[in-house]
Amino acid sequence: MSGTSLDGLDLVAVQFRKNGRTSLSFNILASETLPYNDEWHSRLGPSLFGGSAQQLVETHWAYGTWLGQQVKSFTDKNSLEKVVAVGSHGHTVFHRPDVGYTYQIGEGHAILEACGIPVITDFRSANVARGGQGAPLVPLGDQLLFGEYTACLNLGGFANLSYPHGTQGRIAYDIVPCNIVLNEFAQRMGFPFDEGGELAQSGQPLGSWLNELNHLPFYQEAPPKSLGVEWLKEHMGDFLDSQLLSQDLLATFTKHIAFQLFRALEPLAGMGNGEIMVTGGGAYNHYLIATTQSLLPSSLQLKIPSKQLIEYKEALVFALLAQRYMLGMPNCLASATGVAKDHTGGVGFGIKSR
């Protein structure tokens, strides 16, 4: 799993077991995050979005080979001799479901040749081809693995939410840009990220910018809906290009995220046990968590799980999506992505015919 915030590659080996008729249990056997070195940070960064077609194809294949090499190293190091399949999300370069396409790099043939294990990739394209958002896909895992929570909130490059809603099924959608923006401002100050939200806490929110951000049309749209880097550039470009103090921009955007999280979560008051599981790198941003919690009604509580779940939940769920592909079972929820019915997404490499 590789996210838009370019933190690195998340690897997880997991076993799944049935836990009754409607849920699963899991056992994480090994997990690791490999930070991107300077070369990969550069190759997967902004230059890829505006580069040539040749650059994109070369990176797609080279990244696939690198992914396969890391899988081989990971399985060897952890003595994982009976791996059934690899589920690779890849790294998102383009995501424009509104005009009918999405693209994640990491060529499946290259992964297969480098690691020697059957591979499933390209989980999003089938959904977009059916007219869906292609995202979020994690809500199926939220439903099967973490159903005891009222909702699951992930604070990654973009913040997204999923929760059950009666006859509508599981509702899920992207809420607001998150670490992809916070990391950008922190890096301008010489830090890889805003650890604990301390930089934001030292700044002064800019009221005019905060008001403008909070009134962007996306926040008024009904789900299902998703965000991508293209949207960020188009609708927040002026804010991102601002030459004001980075700590003030961080303070402003942290307040913006907290307010949009509040707007998304407040309607859940009175549903279930009121516990919201929070994962993704933003779960470590104590200032963001505290600011959001202060806005919420007391019946809603943000719950921070184990470090392993914070960091590897999304990789864990893509392993689940791969397993369901192997079994010929739906791995994409219609209610979360806006298609007519649940379906199976993904492309297999080196997999025997079912």
Side-chain angles (χ1 to χ4, degrees):
M1 180 72 199
S2 174
T4 49
S5 51
L6 283 175
D7 295 331
L9 176 68
D10 292 337
L11 293 150
V12 62
V14 59
Q15 285 180 325
F16 296 104
R17 291 185 176 88
K18 287 186 178 180
N19 185 20
R21 297 183 62 185
T22 59
S23 65
L24 297 170
S25 61
F26 62 90
N27 179 29
I28 294 178
L29 305 175
S31 57
E32 182 178 6
T33 295
L34 301 174
Y36 289 125
N37 60 22
D38 290 344
E39 177 190 357
W40 278 114
H41 209 275
S42 174
R43 292 187 73 173
L44 298 175
S47 64
L48 188 60
F49 296 87
S52 67
Q54 181 176 346
Q55 178 189 358
L56 179 64
V57 173
E58 287 179 352
T59 306
H60 174 57
W61 280 83
Y63 187 60
T65 298
W66 184 80
L67 289 177
Q69 291 169 344
Q70 305 321 305
V71 169
K72 181 68 166 60
S73 176
F74 178 73
T75 55
D76 288 349
K77 179 168 57 177
N78 292 287
S79 301
L80 299 168
E81 299 175 354
K82 297 181 180 180
V83 178
V84 175
V86 173
S88 174
H89 171 270
H91 185 81
T92 299
V93 181
F94 302 112
H95 185 67
R96 288 294 307 274
D98 56 314
V99 291
Y101 65 85
T102 187
Y103 191 68
Q104 289 74 41
I105 63 169
E107 170 58 44
H109 286 294
I111 300 173
L112 173 63
E113 289 304 312
C115 72
I117 303 169
V119 175
I120 301 97
T121 66
D122 196 16
F123 289 95
R124 302 189 185 276
S125 293
N127 186 264
V128 171
R130 287 167 167 81
Q133 290 288 308
L137 299 183
V138 171
L140 178 64
D142 294 343
Q143 177 176 296
L144 295 175
L145 304 176
F146 306 107
E148 69 270 26
Y149 291 96
T150 294
C152 294
L153 175 66
N154 185 68
L155 302 178
F158 297 92
N160 51 66
L161 176 70
S162 89
Y163 59 93
H165 196 275
T167 57
Q168 291 182 261
R170 194 167 190 97
I171 291 177
Y173 61 97
D174 285 346
I175 303 171
V176 61
C178 190
N179 296 334
I180 192 171
V181 173
L182 299 181
N183 290 356
E184 167 68 22
F185 290 137
Q187 287 160 15
R188 291 182 193 177
M189 300 174 68
F191 301 93
F193 56 92
D194 185 6
E195 186 168 359
E198 293 181 2
L199 297 174
Q201 199 167 3
S202 72
Q204 293 295 321
L206 305 166
S208 58
W209 268 120
L210 186 58
N211 182 65
E212 185 170 331
L213 291 170
N214 282 332
H215 283 86
L216 288 172
F218 176 83
Y219 302 126
Q220 311 306 319
E221 296 174 12
K225 56 183 179 177
S226 61
L227 291 164
V229 173
E230 299 91 339
W231 182 92
L232 192 65
K233 291 178 178 178
E234 180 179 352
H235 296 280
M236 292 187 176
D238 290 344
F239 178 74
L240 294 172
D241 292 339
S242 173
Q243 298 303 306
L244 298 170
L245 288 175
S246 293
Q247 59 263 45
D248 291 347
L249 296 172
L250 268 169
T252 303
F253 207 79
T254 300
K255 291 279 189 182
H256 171 59
I257 296 170
F259 181 70
Q260 295 306 324
L261 296 181
F262 156 72
R263 289 186 69 249
L265 293 171
E266 185 187 29
L268 306 185
M271 293 173 54
N273 59 15
E275 293 186 349
I276 313 296
M277 184 172 76
V278 185
T279 56
Y284 294 123
N285 188 324
H286 308 305
Y287 179 57
L288 173 59
I289 297 298
T291 303
T292 304
Q293 186 66 71
S294 71
L295 298 174
L296 293 173
S298 59
S299 60
L300 292 175
Q301 293 294 315
L302 302 178
K303 296 293 183 179
I304 311 298
S306 67
K307 183 176 187 290
Q308 195 172 49
L309 276 182
I310 290 173
E311 298 181 359
Y312 297 105
K313 180 193 156 202
E314 291 213 326
L316 162 69
V317 172
F318 274 89
L320 173 64
L321 302 188
Q323 183 214 41
R324 291 177 71 86
Y325 175 94
M326 296 285 286
L327 296 173
M329 301 174 69
N331 60 8
C332 184
L333 294 177
S335 61
T337 58
V339 293
K341 61 181 180 178
D342 297 351
H343 67 91
T344 305
V347 179
F349 299 84
I351 296 172
K352 296 179 181 179
S353 299
R354 294 194 290 264

